[in-house]
Amino acid sequence: MSSILKVDTIQTAAGGTPTAASLGLNVSGSVLQVVSAYQGSGVVTFTAGATLLTANITPTSANSKILIIASGSSERYTSTNTDHYFGNVNRSIGGGADAFLGRWADAAHYISSTSEREHASITILDTPNTTSQITYKMTTDVYGGGYYAKQCSITLIEIAG
């Protein structure tokens, strides 16, 4: 014999919406949502502070953590110099000021008539402590100059706290 329980809503004794924890469920460490953005290759002049890519996420809980995986590549092909491209990850909560979270670096080389593509990435575990929309930005700092072919991506993974 089996039983079926059907209800329209479940509320706490105070009339609120129950959480998984209040129902005795342990969801800590579970993936709640994934957001990603990608920018394909193209010839672009990088300038310091330029925004390459943005991705927005709104955490379902203030206890959530956001795992950020960001990567980018560059190609130097206009001189014989070695130039450095630094990719930064910044966070803005609810349209507020940017906060610097981390940086990765790569160096693009040009030797004779051959260019070399470099790739770099960074992984950051952020604890923003908010349920407001968060904008994560990939920005650049360039030392050297010239043109770069770029590809970059950012993936945001909300993890239950």
Side-chain angles (χ1 to χ4, degrees):
M1 173 184 208
S2 65
S3 299
I4 298 174
L5 174 64
K6 294 183 179 183
V7 297
D8 291 325
T9 60
I10 296 175
Q11 294 182 345
T12 63
T17 303
T19 63
S22 68
L23 295 173
L25 303 173
N26 182 5
V27 296
S28 183
S30 298
V31 172
L32 301 177
Q33 63 176 312
V34 177
V35 174
S36 63
Y38 173 78
Q39 172 65 46
S41 65
V43 178
V44 175
T45 302
F46 282 176
T47 57
T51 298
L52 296 175
L53 197 58
T54 62
N56 298 315
I57 192 167
T58 303
T60 57
S61 169
N63 294 328
S64 292
K65 296 179 181 353
I66 307 296
L67 180 64
I68 307 154
I69 304 166
S71 65
S73 63
S74 62
E75 183 175 354
R76 174 77 168 146
Y77 58 91
T78 60
S79 78
T80 57
N81 297 328
T82 297
D83 293 304
H84 299 281
Y85 151 62
F86 295 94
N88 301 317
V89 176
N90 299 302
R91 172 190 71 201
S92 172
I93 298 175
D98 283 357
F100 173 79
L101 296 180
R103 168 180 288 164
W104 75 89
D106 75 25
H109 307 275
Y110 180 87
I111 302 167
S112 185
S113 62
T114 304
S115 62
E116 179 180 312
R117 178 167 283 211
E118 297 291 333
H119 183 84
S121 63
I122 188 169
T123 302
I124 301 167
L125 184 60
D126 189 22
T127 308
N129 194 30
T130 187
T131 56
S132 297
Q133 179 177 291
I134 306 169
T135 300
Y136 290 95
K137 298 178 188 175
M138 293 175 63
T139 62
T140 62
D141 285 328
V142 179
Y143 298 91
Y147 292 88
Y148 292 81
K150 70 174 177 72
Q151 291 179 320
C152 55
S153 67
I154 187 167
T155 300
L156 310 174
I157 303 169
E158 181 184 2
I159 301 171

